[in-house]
Amino acid sequence: MARLTTVFTCSACGHEEPKWHGRCAGCGEWNTLAEEKRAPAPARRGGGGGGRSAEPGEAVRPVRLAEVQAIQVARLQTGIGELDRVLGGGLVPGSLVLLGGSPGIGKSTLTSMALGNLAGAGRRTLYVSGEESAAQIKLRAERLPGAALDVPVLAETDLDTVLATLDAERPEVCVIDSVQTLHAGDLTGAAGSVGQVREVADRITRLAKARDIAVLLVGHVTKEGSLAGPRVLEHLVDCVLQFEGERERTYRTLRALKNRFGSTSEAGVFEMRQGGLVEVQDASARFVGEATRAPGSVVLAAMEGSRPLLVEVQALVSPSELVPPRRVANGIDRNRLALVLAVLGRHAGVGVGSADVFVNVAGGVRVDEPGADLAVALAVASATRGIVAGAGARPIACFGEIGLTGELRTVAHPERRLAEAAKFGLAPIVTPAGAGRGAAEAATLRDALRAGLGAAPAARAA
Ligand SMILES: Nc1ncnc2c1ncn2[C@@H]1O[C@H](COP(=O)(O)OP(=O)(O)OP(=O)(O)O)[C@@H](O)[C@H]1O
Ligand SMILES: [Mg+2]
């Protein structure tokens, strides 16, 4: 057997050292170096024009791309429309997909459902779990639709056993739940440590590519929301999916953070039910239906990938003795909220300096786009002034980025957002200038507040 060499890898930046140090020389972080054993690099395979293997050091003729034989990839449909769309049309054979998400979000449910559908379609599948016993997996499968009970399972944490089983069974699609629970016996360090996770992912990748197995690797996320384990894991795999939402809420969103075979702008919305995860195709209708007509509520016409999505943004502004007062943001970026509050105070006459501000995107949805700025501003202004946005029975809709000088800036796909808001009869639809017909266009935040809330009586303005 080839001799393994020892290296110490930084979990924060991936920097490598031959010896252990308390502090990483790459990023300066303390206690981040973890031991890792490396097998020597495999002999180089000639990628040259002749198609034969070259001896190391021997020159190889590069090939013109036009002469390279293209391979037709038949994607494997998981039967879950939202998942297939986020993947870019289905799973690519031999590819590695990393699915991250916080505990209890539904990673095992989603992957079990996908395998069940694939098994039902006659594909060879395998579900490897290091977290749950076969009996526990069966319990979940019993409440899932499709052929979830036909999926062969392996409850195992030893990497060598898993790899040997994969090699013997040759599934077309395999789920490893989770990458943090597998353990390579020839490495020191507990399962889930940087060195272990990297080794596990590396060896699974090599086998998956060699045997054309599409692998769905389930990964845990840290408290901060990033994928646990070394960053290199994200470079190693072909596709990184993030399953997010709040466990207590029913809605969950699936996004691609990286995708070698498709766009990263797509997102899928799911709802957790008794019978497993159900795709929510009419998410806008749900969120608009649930939107309240009260001060502090507006509808944001957001984009989830290439699809428009209407979500309710709510704000509560309450006098506070705290210094500094509280700023709580759920579903939007906290720094973005700080910016919007500063511009509201400086350029639109809505000061919230001595009040706690809570902003929430209803339904547990997360919107990470500058287009949400205007909705946050309108919701906060509406809550501060105690007036309902819009005059009609339907809620108002809006979108637009807010600049530091109080101007409204255009965001992507204004026409699709407008059409979606108009479809549900929302009015007015407050937008930056140039959005199109039917929009209440505003050049500045001050104009937008006037369009959305009307002229506030001076006495009620904060
Ligand atoms: N009978 C049920 N009806 C509705 N929802 C359920 C039911 N049983 C379980 N759930 C939901 O499924 C979630 C667990 O899903 P799952 O085990 O797929 O999550 P996970 O992301 O794999 O979690 P972990 O990180 O712990 O492995 C629970 O949080 C719960 O909300
Ligand atoms: Mg799980």
Side-chain angles (χ1 to χ4, degrees):
M1 195 181 143
R3 278 201 46 205
L4 299 173
T5 52
T6 305
V7 290
F8 292 85
T9 315
C10 171
S11 58
C13 70
H15 177 76
E16 286 173 11
E17 290 278 350
K19 280 194 193 154
W20 190 83
H21 296 281
R23 188 177 194 187
C24 169
C27 62
E29 288 289 321
W30 290 91
N31 286 331
T32 49
L33 292 191
E35 185 186 0
E36 199 176 330
K37 290 269 195 293
R38 288 273 174 80
R44 199 160 61 98
R45 280 198 300 164
R52 68 187 171 82
S53 292
E55 289 300 317
E58 191 188 330
V60 190
R61 186 177 68 85
V63 199
R64 218 160 59 89
L65 276 176
E67 291 163 25
V68 175
Q69 267 198 350
I71 36 165
Q72 284 296 328
V73 187
R75 292 187 185 240
L76 302 160
Q77 306 292 324
T78 66
I80 305 174
E82 298 282 284
L83 174 62
D84 284 337
R85 203 164 49 80
V86 174
L87 284 169
L91 280 166
V92 174
S95 70
L96 243 85
V97 176
L98 179 63
L99 172 68
S102 43
I105 195 79
K107 302 178 292 295
S108 305
T109 309
L110 185 70
T111 47
S112 299
M113 287 174 68
L115 281 198
N117 291 344
L118 284 158
R123 300 286 183 181
R124 291 190 312 278
T125 58
L126 180 63
Y127 188 97
V128 179
S129 179
E131 303 205 329
E132 294 165 303
S133 65
Q136 285 172 313
I137 302 167
K138 179 172 182 189
L139 211 61
R140 176 183 303 105
E142 278 174 344
R143 74 176 178 102
L144 301 181
L149 286 168
D150 291 341
V151 176
V153 294
L154 171 69
E156 181 59 63
T157 54
D158 180 60
L159 176 63
D160 289 320
T161 312
V162 170
L163 290 178
T165 312
L166 277 177
D167 209 14
E169 296 291 319
R170 300 280 170 94
E172 289 166 272
V173 189
C174 165
V175 169
I176 311 264
D177 190 0
S178 66
V179 66
Q180 277 94 353
T181 49
L182 292 199
H183 184 266
D186 47 5
L187 279 197
T188 56
S193 64
V194 178
Q196 285 282 355
V197 169
R198 190 160 144 152
E199 177 72 7
V200 166
D202 191 42
R203 286 176 59 189
I204 291 174
T205 310
R206 271 187 269 156
L207 185 74
K209 301 271 179 223
R211 301 277 180 258
D212 243 8
I213 307 171
V215 180
L216 274 159
L217 277 179
V218 173
H220 295 165
V221 294
T222 60
K223 260 193 276 165
E224 291 75 38
S226 58
L227 276 161
R231 298 278 324 178
V232 278
L233 198 55
E234 290 176 36
H235 295 291
L236 204 69
V237 299
D238 300 299
C239 182
V240 180
L241 303 184
Q242 180 88 353
F243 205 20
E244 54 195 22
E246 285 162 44
R247 205 171 14 163
E248 311 76 46
R249 311 284 189 82
T250 46
Y251 297 112
R252 281 117 214 252
T253 5
L254 183 71
R255 283 172 215 276
L257 304 183
K258 159 185 171 173
N259 193 350
R260 285 190 180 141
F261 312 114
S263 142
T264 50
S265 61
E266 295 298 338
V269 182
F270 292 90
E271 188 180 351
M272 181 61 93
R273 295 225 194 117
Q274 164 68 26
L277 288 158
V278 182
E279 303 163 46
V280 182
Q281 268 134 4
D282 56 347
S284 288
R286 299 268 189 104
F287 294 136
V288 170
E290 290 167 7
T292 49
R293 294 289 291 131
S297 163
V298 296
V299 172
L300 161 68
M303 291 299 292
E304 279 288 3
S306 55
R307 282 192 316 180
L309 176 69
L310 302 178
V311 287
E312 183 190 8
V313 176
Q314 295 186 335
L316 173 68
V317 178
S318 139
S320 171
E321 305 276 297
L322 289 175
V323 180
R326 278 198 282 186
R327 304 286 180 245
V328 180
N330 281 321
I332 59 154
D333 180 33
R334 210 167 169 271
N335 292 328
R336 215 65 212 174
L337 172 62
L339 181 148
V340 170
L341 295 184
V343 178
L344 267 175
R346 184 73 183 81
H347 297 288
V350 183
V352 288
S354 55
D356 289 337
V357 178
F358 304 86
V359 174
N360 188 26
V361 181
V365 180
R366 188 160 181 89
V367 271
D368 269 324
E369 57 152 338
D373 288 355
L374 183 56
V376 174
L378 275 168
V380 170
S382 155
T384 308
R385 294 176 176 174
I387 49 177
V388 179
R394 307 289 296 168
I396 72 158
C398 63
F399 60 86
E401 181 181 352
I402 295 174
L404 293 184
T405 59
E407 85 279 15
L408 276 195
R409 307 179 74 95
T410 317
V411 287
H413 307 300
E415 66 300 327
R416 287 194 213 166
R417 297 175 196 249
L418 257 181
E420 185 78 352
K423 195 165 103 189
F424 291 94
L426 305 186
I429 307 165
V430 188
T431 71
R437 275 184 51 196
E441 296 179 5
T444 64
L445 177 57
R446 201 177 268 277
D447 294 344
L449 294 192
R450 204 168 296 129
L453 305 178
R460 293 171 84 179

